[in-house]
Amino acid sequence: EEKPGLRKPPQAIVRKPFIGNAKAKSFAIAVDAGGKLGWKQNEISGDHIIEILTEKVSDTYLYYLQQRKISYIFAGKSDIHFGSALKQLAKLFPIKTITLEGGGSLNGSMLKARLIDEISLLILPIADATAETPTVFEWVNHKKKEKSSSHLQLTEIKKLKHQVLWLKYRVTKKA
């Protein structure tokens, strides 16, 4: 894991989007509300990195990203607003569709915001009952306890090698 080497910028940095590579055609998008991720370069496997940040990120971190030519957008003051993030990604970059490969909290936040239209699940023939096992969708709202569920419509089932099932669902409506 790379630790960002932070240096003070020559001047204050305005909270507006930064495009590190205007010619990029494919992207890896990282959600980093507080500006903590470190990078060796501005791409992962040929995909240009775009960070989704909040306005609370320090100028030193923004300067770090600019020096590495890593693109970034702001999607909220202190919490990420995913609807705003997706609108900006579509406006500023040639992005029409994204593949969400997050953990349970990110997936749950996107589902809660009604920003997921299809779910693709691989079911492996393994059962893991440990308490720390990650979930696919998790909604953590410390302010109020509310249910966040959606109805799904099965659209495809495929049996793959090694007894793996691939299930595809369309998100139809909130439950």
Side-chain angles (χ1 to χ4, degrees):
E1 178 177 307
E2 182 82 5
K3 187 166 175 82
L6 304 180
R7 294 188 340 246
K8 185 174 176 157
Q11 64 213 24
I13 298 177
V14 179
R15 299 305 187 259
K16 65 178 188 174
F18 173 78
I19 312 282
N21 180 355
K23 295 180 180 179
K25 301 286 186 224
S26 62
F27 307 91
I29 301 165
V31 178
D32 187 16
K36 307 253 187 269
L37 297 175
W39 306 100
K40 290 185 181 184
Q41 53 193 27
N42 71 351
E43 62 178 43
I44 298 171
S45 301
D47 297 332
H48 178 66
I49 298 168
I50 304 170
E51 282 215 26
I52 300 174
L53 306 168
T54 63
E55 293 177 21
K56 71 180 180 183
V57 172
S58 69
D59 282 1
T60 55
Y61 188 72
L62 296 177
Y63 188 59
Y64 166 82
L65 294 176
Q66 289 178 4
Q67 295 300 300
R68 280 162 182 71
K69 299 196 180 326
I70 294 171
S71 297
Y72 59 78
I73 61 171
F74 295 96
K77 295 247 183 249
S78 60
D79 294 318
I80 299 286
H81 184 276
F82 289 103
S84 169
L86 293 182
K87 285 178 186 168
Q88 289 181 68
L89 291 171
K91 181 179 177 186
L92 298 169
F93 302 93
I95 298 173
K96 301 293 179 234
T97 302
I98 65 167
T99 299
L100 179 62
E101 297 176 352
S105 294
L106 177 58
N107 294 346
S109 295
M110 295 285 281
L111 187 68
K112 173 81 173 145
R114 307 279 300 136
L115 298 171
I116 295 177
D117 56 4
E118 181 180 88
I119 296 171
S120 180
L121 294 174
L122 293 175
I123 308 296
L124 307 177
I126 300 168
D128 186 351
T130 56
E132 296 82 24
T133 302
T135 59
V136 176
F137 296 100
E138 189 173 312
W139 171 247
V140 181
N141 185 344
H142 301 287
K143 296 176 185 155
K144 54 183 167 177
K145 299 204 184 243
E146 59 181 90
K147 291 185 179 181
S148 181
S149 57
S150 297
H151 285 283
L152 307 177
Q153 181 178 0
L154 184 64
T155 58
E156 189 174 348
I157 300 173
K158 284 186 182 174
K159 185 176 179 184
L160 306 177
K161 289 182 183 178
H162 310 293
Q163 300 179 11
V164 173
L165 290 179
W166 184 7
L167 309 175
K168 288 186 181 182
Y169 294 93
R170 186 167 39 89
V171 178
T172 56
K173 63 181 178 179
K174 198 169 183 165

